[in-house]
Amino acid sequence: MSTNNRIALSSDHAAIPLRQAIAAHIAAKGFEVVDIGPTTSESTHYPKHGAAAAKLVAAGDCRLGIILCGTGQGIMMAANKVKGIRCGVCSDTFSARMIRQHNDANMLSLGARVVGEGLALEIVDAFLSAEFEGGRHATRVEMISALEG
Ligand code: RB5
């Protein structure tokens, strides 16, 4: 595993309690959490929070990122606009493991209005404990990167 153990965390207003629960959960497991907020429940715009976390990952400041909004969908779409980001929304542990193993996803998105805290923490664990398998999957991930131009 890379020596960079930093995980970028961000959300919009719809997911602050779940984001904070994830921050505490992964910090207790030894990850260095880079939680860039927001900290108040005031209504905000998910694209800027998704992009901010994505830029930390794309720049290599953080190895992986976890982002949240109400559904996980909007913030995922924003993160995937940042070059080098492969982010998937997951509501199950199988998908969370597979997006690391097969797609080399570097960001996970969760919907705080979709999954409860217990399941969300298991999804996070599945994502963070899986590694990219390379091989035939590397060719396909390279094809995704080539689409970025
Ligand atoms: C905010 O109400 C909501 O639209 C946002 O959290 C997210 O679900 C968008 O994809």
Side-chain angles (χ1 to χ4, degrees):
M1 191 163 86
S2 161
T3 52
N4 178 350
N5 208 24
R6 284 187 296 280
I7 309 297
L9 264 185
S10 190
S11 74
D12 72 358
H13 57 279
I16 292 174
L18 182 55
R19 193 191 80 232
Q20 291 171 337
I22 290 169
H25 179 74
I26 66 176
K29 288 181 176 281
F31 290 96
E32 188 180 340
V33 180
V34 181
D35 187 345
I36 57 172
T39 53
T40 72
S41 57
E42 189 181 336
S43 183
T44 183
H45 303 302
Y46 57 80
K48 68 179 180 185
H49 301 293
K55 285 174 185 171
L56 289 175
V57 175
D61 292 338
C62 293
R63 184 169 66 88
L64 296 169
I66 300 172
I67 52 178
L68 308 90
C69 65
T71 59
Q73 301 291 351
I75 201 164
M76 173 274 290
M77 292 177 196
N80 276 321
K81 294 295 183 187
V82 175
K83 189 170 184 179
I85 294 303
R86 290 176 299 280
C87 180
V89 181
C90 294
S91 300
D92 65 276
T93 57
F94 176 77
S95 298
R97 189 170 75 248
M98 294 304 285
I99 64 170
R100 287 289 299 127
Q101 291 180 344
H102 284 194
N103 313 117
D104 200 17
N106 46 18
M107 295 190 77
L108 166 69
S109 184
L110 292 163
R113 296 172 179 160
V114 181
V115 293
E117 183 179 312
L119 176 56
L121 297 181
E122 290 192 7
I123 291 169
V124 165
D125 288 345
F127 179 74
L128 293 179
S129 61
E131 292 292 336
F132 182 47
E133 290 177 352
R136 69 185 190 281
H137 304 297
T139 303
R140 296 161 186 167
V141 171
E142 284 163 16
M143 290 171 72
I144 295 174
S145 299
L147 294 170
E148 293 177 326

